[in-house]
């Protein structure tokens, strides 16, 4: 007799005893150290539930996290109120060594559009009480939605003070656009985008990540940060990866260092497994055969459809030598891809679905084809690691948005704030959507209000309306008629005590693919 294992049965079913397992440790024993040192998280909320995450790691930087190589049973609880007066759901889940003793509990059957609280317990050890929430039912009238956007959090470059502030915001969810970790080795003198030394704030452990163990340790160090843990514990997150979760500027099975594809596939598979192990993702995203299903869609009442994209796994190699380069024939390659045709078709169909006031396209890299020339260079210079290096797929994307008047595209990766209009014909045609790019949490150091040459770039790109070079996050407040995006910036990340402020607010009216600034 054969048994077929699905992603769901492998993760959830195992806890119900569907798979034979070695003796289960029920943790009456005392751990040498507190086992929940990586915190807790919730994610992928729906109208009736969410995913709850934690990982047992009493010694986070140890090869095994300080855990025995056996399954460990964890109790989980969902409460009706923060004082834990009423348990609305509870259960047991196995933390398995194959997944670094991480767990992903899918909770369902709850009431829509309300907060819940949760915790994990193993033996005598308990986590803090986390706060999460369910979303409104699809197509339910909704007059307001508020959420946060964050990403790019290089550990060495700065403190995560912005996350402490984000944890205090009243948001329904946070979308993390990627670069949760940085895979490269530590340096004694980190530098900014032009090679100028910035303050060395703190050290990372280990060299460049190649193996599953390397990536696990890197996540463990990042997730020990108390400000990051606080942000996770105060709202559910939707997460997507970009490049540094694997290696800088990777696309498909290609890397800038021209690593043989079969070798990079091994590295990518380990990186994907570590990403899954440390994120509040559903079993739908469980890595299979070296691939990972990360693009997905959520609807928030009748107010907003959110399309979370994957712009890495299906992208063709960067043209023109990559990075910030003069344009070449490769940028106009009609066969080039950013998302792959199946995902393109999936997105186009979703954009034209009826029932929601707004379409939110949540993806990783800037779509505006910004000309980066600042010194009189002859040829256009673009960021080849963005949609600017891929004219054909970008124009196909914009064509699918034409006439809708309700599309807001968001991205990260640039370590700057940007706001502008998405115009067809390489930025010279009609506007079909607006784009907001959120700055980094810490990558690039404390920064400044404007980078050198920012005024020239604004002058040369009329579709670009705003840029800023400070760290922080974004807050979006959406109503049926208006989308308001606040660029929240912090004055410093190189030392404690950073102060948050709103640098600029961008406003979009539904039906008009244009923005105003205040």
């Amino acid at each position: 007799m054969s048994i077929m294992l699905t992603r769901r049965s492998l993760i959830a079913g195992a806890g119900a005893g569907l798979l034979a397992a070695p003796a289960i440790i029920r943790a009456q024993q005392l751990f040498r150290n507190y086992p929940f040192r990586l915190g807790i998280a919730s994610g992928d909320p729906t109208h009736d539930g969410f995913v709850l995450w934690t990982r047992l790691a009493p010694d986070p930087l140890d090869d095994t996290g300080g855990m025995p190589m056996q399954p460990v049973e964890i109790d989980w609880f969902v409460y009706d109120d923060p004082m834990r007066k009423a348990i609305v759901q509870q259960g047991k889940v196995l933390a398995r060594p194959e997944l670094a003793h991480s767990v992903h509990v899918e909770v369902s059957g709850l009431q829509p559009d309300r907060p819940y609280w949760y915790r994990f317990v193993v033996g005598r050890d308990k986590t803090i009480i986390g706060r999460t929430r369910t979303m409104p039912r699809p197509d339910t009238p909704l007059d307001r939605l508020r959420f946060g956007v964050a990403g790019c959090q290089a550990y060495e470059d700065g403190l995560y003070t912005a996350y402490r502030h984000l944890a205090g915001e009243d948001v329904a969810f946070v979308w993390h656009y990627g670069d949760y970790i940085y895979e490269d080795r530590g340096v004694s003198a980190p530098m900014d985008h032009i090679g100028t030394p910035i303050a060395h704030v703190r050290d990372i452990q280990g060299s460049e990540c190649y193996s599953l163990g390397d990536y696990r340790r890197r996540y463990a160090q990042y997730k020990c940060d108390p400000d990051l843990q606080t942000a996770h514990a105060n709202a559910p997150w939707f997460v997507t990866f970009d490049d540094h979760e694997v290696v800088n500027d990777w696309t498909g099975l290609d890397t800038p260092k021209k690593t043989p594809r079969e070798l990079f596939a091994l590295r990518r598979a380990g990186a994907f497994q570590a990403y899954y192990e440390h994120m509040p993702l559903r079993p739908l995203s469980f890595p299979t055969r070296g691939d990972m299903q990360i693009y997905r869609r959520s609807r928030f009442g009748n107010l907003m459809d959110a399309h979370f994209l994957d712009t890495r796994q299906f992208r063709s190699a960067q043209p023109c030598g990559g990075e910030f380069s003069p344009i070449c024939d490769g940028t106009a390659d009609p066969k080039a891809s950013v998302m792959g045709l199946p995902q393109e078709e999936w997105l186009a169909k979703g954009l034209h679905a009826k029932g929601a006031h707004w379409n939110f396209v949540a993806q990783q890299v800037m779509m505006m084809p910004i000309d980066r020339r600042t010194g009189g260079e002859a040829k256009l210079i673009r960021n080849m690691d963005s949609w600017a290096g891929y004219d054909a797929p970008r124009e196909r994307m914009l064509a699918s948005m034409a006439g809708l008047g309700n599309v807001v595209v968001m991205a990260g990766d640039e370590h700057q704030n940007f706001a502008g209009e998405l115009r067809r014909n390489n930025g010279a045609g009609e506007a079909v959507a607006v784009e907001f790019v959120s700055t980094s949490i810490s990558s690039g150091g404390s920064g400044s209000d404007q980078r050198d040459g920012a005024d020239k770039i604004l002058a040369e790109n009329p579709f670009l309306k705003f840029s800023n070079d400070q760290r922080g996050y974004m807050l979006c407040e959406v109503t049926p008629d208006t989308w308001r995006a606040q660029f929240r910036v912090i004055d410093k990340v190189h030392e404690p005590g950073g102060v948050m402020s709103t640098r600029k607010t961008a406003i979009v009216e539904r039906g008009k693919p244009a923005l105003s600034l205040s």
Side-chain angles (χ1 to χ4, degrees):
M1 180 178 68
S2 64
I3 299 176
M4 180 176 293
L5 300 182
T6 65
R7 299 180 186 191
R8 187 175 299 275
S9 67
L10 183 60
I11 305 301
L18 296 181
L19 300 179
I24 298 169
I25 297 177
R26 290 185 171 81
Q28 281 79 16
Q29 85 283 0
L30 294 176
F31 290 99
R32 183 175 64 182
N33 297 311
Y34 181 63
F36 297 109
R37 293 180 65 187
L38 304 187
I40 58 176
S42 66
D44 273 14
T46 65
H47 70 276
D48 73 338
F50 32 72
V51 175
L52 302 180
W53 172 92
T54 194
R55 178 190 165 197
L56 299 177
D59 293 309
L61 300 185
D62 182 78
D63 285 348
T64 65
M67 292 295 296
M69 289 296 96
Q70 290 178 275
V72 177
E73 193 172 68
I74 302 177
D75 294 294
W76 58 268
F77 302 87
V78 176
Y79 304 99
D80 195 60
D81 67 287
M83 301 307 294
R84 310 184 306 282
K85 295 177 181 178
I87 298 173
V88 295
Q89 284 198 33
Q90 66 184 95
K92 298 180 183 294
V93 62
L94 286 184
R96 292 182 170 274
E98 295 90 340
L99 290 176
H101 292 96
S102 65
V103 296
H104 302 73
V105 179
E106 287 191 289
V107 181
S108 60
L110 301 176
Q111 295 298 309
D113 197 19
R114 57 148 297 173
Y116 286 93
W117 291 262
Y118 67 97
R119 80 171 354 162
F120 294 93
V121 178
V122 59
R124 299 181 185 179
D125 290 302
K126 303 175 181 179
T127 68
I128 63 170
I129 302 297
R131 182 184 185 274
T132 186
R133 67 173 302 119
T134 52
M135 298 297 110
R137 290 183 183 276
D139 302 322
T140 298
L142 186 64
D143 59 8
R144 179 179 177 270
L145 180 69
R146 197 164 189 256
F147 65 92
V149 178
C152 289
Q153 52 199 53
Y155 189 85
E156 288 182 300
D157 287 6
L159 303 176
Y160 291 168
T161 315
Y163 272 133
R164 179 71 61 169
H165 290 278
L166 179 55
E169 305 279 9
D170 179 20
V171 295
F173 66 87
V174 172
W175 170 51
H176 192 285
Y177 57 73
D179 289 350
Y180 194 99
I181 63 165
Y182 281 67
E183 83 297 345
D184 49 359
R185 64 185 176 90
V187 294
S188 58
M191 296 178 288
D192 65 11
H193 63 287
I194 58 171
T196 303
I198 60 176
H200 181 72
V201 179
R202 48 188 179 175
D203 295 319
I204 58 170
Q205 301 296 313
S207 189
E208 184 171 350
C209 297
Y210 282 93
S211 69
L212 173 59
D214 294 338
Y215 287 103
R216 282 173 170 171
R217 281 186 291 274
R218 189 61 52 85
Y219 279 103
Q221 183 170 18
Y222 274 58
K223 293 186 80 70
C224 280
D225 184 274
D227 292 334
L228 177 57
Q229 289 190 14
T230 300
H232 270 300
N234 278 274
W237 287 30
F238 290 95
V239 298
T240 52
F241 54 67
D242 193 23
D243 56 338
H244 286 288
E245 287 86 353
V246 184
V247 68
N248 184 44
D249 285 359
W250 71 276
T251 59
L253 289 175
D254 296 305
T255 70
K257 295 181 179 180
K258 307 300 182 184
T259 303
R261 301 183 98 203
E262 64 273 16
L263 296 182
F264 179 62
L266 296 175
R267 182 179 184 179
R268 197 183 81 167
F272 282 1
Q273 179 174 338
Y275 183 76
Y276 179 81
E277 289 172 348
H278 292 86
M279 296 295 118
L281 287 163
R282 294 182 182 274
L284 170 69
S285 296
F286 188 85
T288 302
R289 299 182 181 89
D291 299 325
M292 194 170 181
Q293 178 65 43
I294 203 70
Y295 69 85
R296 57 209 191 275
R297 181 179 293 118
S298 292
R299 172 167 286 188
F300 302 89
N302 69 343
L303 186 58
M304 186 179 82
D305 279 334
H307 316 271
F308 300 100
L309 305 188
D310 177 351
T311 59
R312 287 290 169 185
Q313 282 191 89
F314 313 105
R315 196 195 308 188
S316 50
Q318 294 179 20
C320 314
E323 298 186 336
F324 290 79
S325 303
I327 61 170
C328 65
D329 291 343
T331 57
D333 182 0
K335 298 180 181 179
S337 171
V338 174
M339 302 192 305
L341 288 178
Q343 188 179 181
E344 281 190 24
E345 293 170 357
W346 169 87
L347 177 59
K349 182 178 180 180
L351 290 173
H352 288 267
K354 304 297 183 181
H357 292 280
W358 293 94
N359 277 298
F360 170 37
V361 179
Q363 49 99 48
Q364 292 72 45
V365 292
M366 184 189 289
M367 198 170 290
M368 287 181 284
I370 292 180
D371 178 5
R372 308 285 180 141
R373 288 179 293 183
T374 59
E377 297 88 347
K379 278 190 173 183
L380 290 172
I381 294 176
R382 291 183 181 171
N383 178 3
M384 298 300 165
D385 191 45
S386 74
W387 287 83
Y390 301 81
D391 288 346
R394 186 183 66 255
E395 291 299 327
R396 291 196 300 268
M397 170 74 78
L398 298 185
S400 71
M401 299 174 181
L404 294 176
N406 68 348
V407 181
V408 173
V409 176
M410 297 192 71
D413 185 61
E414 296 279 344
H415 308 169
Q416 295 184 78
N417 287 309
F418 289 100
E421 298 168 356
L422 288 170
R423 295 181 172 272
R424 301 178 70 176
N425 191 23
N426 282 317
E430 65 168 329
V432 298
V434 299
E435 181 175 31
F436 301 128
V437 178
S438 180
T439 190
S440 60
I441 286 289
S442 60
S443 301
S446 292
S448 59
D449 185 66
Q450 295 288 317
R451 287 187 181 180
D452 290 342
D455 55 339
K456 295 179 180 178
I457 290 177
L458 279 169
E460 292 297 324
N461 297 275
F463 52 82
L464 180 64
K465 307 301 181 182
F466 169 71
S467 69
N468 164 263
D469 187 31
Q470 292 169 281
R471 309 287 77 81
Y473 53 85
M474 289 192 69
L475 286 179
C476 293
E477 184 166 316
V478 185
T479 69
D481 298 319
T482 305
W483 186 303
R484 298 174 64 89
Q486 295 182 46
F487 294 90
R488 298 278 287 160
V489 299
I490 193 164
D491 63 339
K492 59 183 177 181
V493 298
H494 64 278
E495 62 183 9
V499 176
M500 295 296 304
S501 62
T502 299
R503 175 62 179 81
K504 189 72 69 174
T505 298
I507 303 170
V508 184
E509 295 181 19
R510 183 171 176 266
K512 300 177 181 179
L515 56 86
S516 60
L517 299 170
S518 63

